[in-house]
Amino acid sequence: MYQDKMDIKTPEYVSLQFQLSGLGSRAAAFLIDQLILWAVNAVIIIILVIIMKNETFLPIFFAENTIPIAIVIIALFIINWGYFFAFEFFLGGRTIGKKILGIRVIQENGHSITLLSSFIRNLMRIIDSLPTAYLLGMIMVFFHSKHKRLGDLVAGTIVVHERKAKRKKKLSPIEKEIENRGLSKNELSIDEWALKSFGMKDWKLLSTYVSRFQQLPVSERNALTKQISDILLPKIGLGVEEKDEGELENILLVLYLILRDEWEFEI
């Protein structure tokens, strides 16, 4: 009945996966937003009552007591409807409640919600709130495979959990050395056949060299670099004679990055 995750291919042909927000998180976010709106409504009504009881506060054109009441009713409608519309559009699909709960509204294509979608989605709240207390909307969210209420269906939107930023992995000393040298796997172009020519013995030799790389005295490291280069580099069609120790070190470190993906988890 539920589809907790949704794969989306954007118009730029980028595949994204989102975790859909269900009834529980959406209801909790809505309750927070409603508490905020109730507080604002209460303040406005209190101000109206104070004004109505003190007729000296009323401007001349408010001589009829029904006029301020009508204005407040219109203002409350605009605030209660405009709150969701404005926050969702200007804050990237997040109201205050959604931001606290870590959810947001987006387009079905993975893009941020548009002005028109936000307008339509929130205009449909009038129907979703029927017959009372958002009963229709809650039923729709509960039973729909993508947890959509009627407003989402019409506007082409979904509510998803925010994608948490991944913590940057702590680099090992050798990874810091490689990063400081500005090296990456793109430095070497190795075809599939050349890659398959490396075996477990080659990987162990290279990984041992890399693990000892920073501890070895320069003279020993240069000698070891030359020996290992003579064994491994011909397999990828590279000569050794015309390269100095620094170039050979860089090539071996890049080769380590490439082979690590193939052999690191092998037994």
Side-chain angles (χ1 to χ4, degrees):
M1 181 170 60
Y2 298 110
Q3 182 179 329
D4 293 329
K5 292 186 178 179
M6 182 177 178
D7 293 312
I8 294 175
K9 181 165 282 189
T10 69
E12 295 79 21
Y13 301 101
V14 177
S15 294
L16 301 173
Q17 187 179 74
F18 293 96
Q19 183 180 355
L20 295 169
S21 175
L23 180 59
S25 54
R26 291 182 65 168
F30 178 74
L31 181 58
I32 293 171
D33 291 325
Q34 283 301 121
L35 290 173
I36 294 171
L37 287 171
W38 288 339
V40 173
N41 293 345
V43 170
I44 293 174
I45 292 172
I46 290 171
I47 293 173
L48 174 64
V49 171
I50 293 173
I51 291 175
M52 295 292 291
K53 285 186 176 181
N54 295 271
E55 295 184 359
T56 55
F57 291 167
L58 291 175
I60 297 174
F61 54 87
F62 280 176
E64 293 292 334
N65 288 345
T66 56
I67 295 179
I69 295 175
I71 291 175
V72 167
I73 290 173
I74 294 171
L76 290 176
F77 173 79
I78 293 173
I79 291 171
N80 283 270
W81 177 82
Y83 169 88
F84 293 97
F85 165 68
F87 270 92
E88 287 182 359
F89 176 67
F90 291 107
L91 290 184
R94 309 173 189 89
T95 59
I96 296 175
K98 288 184 176 69
K99 187 173 180 63
I100 292 173
L101 269 293
I103 61 178
R104 64 183 298 194
V105 185
I106 61 171
Q107 299 286 112
E108 274 197 315
N109 61 6
H111 287 186
S112 297
I113 189 170
T114 64
L115 181 67
L116 180 61
S117 295
S118 181
F119 179 84
I120 294 173
R121 181 178 190 275
N122 288 292
L123 185 62
M124 296 302 294
R125 286 183 183 276
I126 299 171
I127 299 176
D128 278 313
S129 61
L130 297 175
T132 182
Y134 274 87
L135 181 60
L136 177 60
M138 288 191 292
I139 292 173
M140 287 286 296
V141 170
F142 184 79
F143 286 103
H144 194 276
S145 61
K146 295 178 183 177
H147 304 307
K148 286 175 170 254
R149 62 176 176 82
L150 187 59
D152 293 312
L153 288 173
V154 177
T157 56
I158 54 175
V159 182
V160 299
H161 288 275
E162 294 276 16
R163 303 176 76 181
K164 295 180 180 179
K166 294 182 179 179
R167 291 184 179 178
K168 189 174 180 180
K169 183 181 177 183
K170 188 176 181 180
L171 298 178
S172 64
I174 191 61
E175 287 173 329
K176 289 181 181 178
E177 175 71 24
I178 292 171
E179 187 180 76
N180 291 337
R181 293 186 179 213
L183 302 175
S184 70
K185 291 187 289 185
N186 297 328
E187 304 284 335
L188 283 179
S189 179
I190 304 177
D191 60 45
E192 193 67 25
W193 290 105
L195 193 60
K196 290 184 180 297
S197 67
F198 291 96
M200 176 62 78
K201 185 177 179 180
D202 298 317
W203 163 246
K204 286 183 176 180
L205 177 65
L206 184 57
S207 59
T208 301
Y209 163 78
V210 169
S211 66
R212 299 177 59 196
F213 183 84
Q214 295 170 305
Q215 286 76 42
L216 291 171
V218 175
S219 58
E220 292 184 29
R221 189 171 77 191
N222 289 341
L224 188 58
T225 297
K226 182 69 168 57
Q227 292 173 7
I228 295 178
S229 296
D230 286 333
I231 297 171
L232 300 182
L233 297 197
K235 293 191 175 188
I236 55 175
L238 292 179
V240 178
E241 293 76 13
E242 66 274 14
K243 294 180 174 59
D244 60 31
E245 285 81 1
E247 291 176 310
L248 293 176
E249 286 177 1
N250 288 343
I251 293 172
L252 289 178
L253 291 174
V254 172
L255 184 59
Y256 164 77
L257 292 178
I258 296 171
L259 293 184
R260 184 176 63 177
D261 293 341
E262 298 289 326
W263 292 101
E264 187 173 28
F265 300 108
E266 295 287 342
I267 298 176

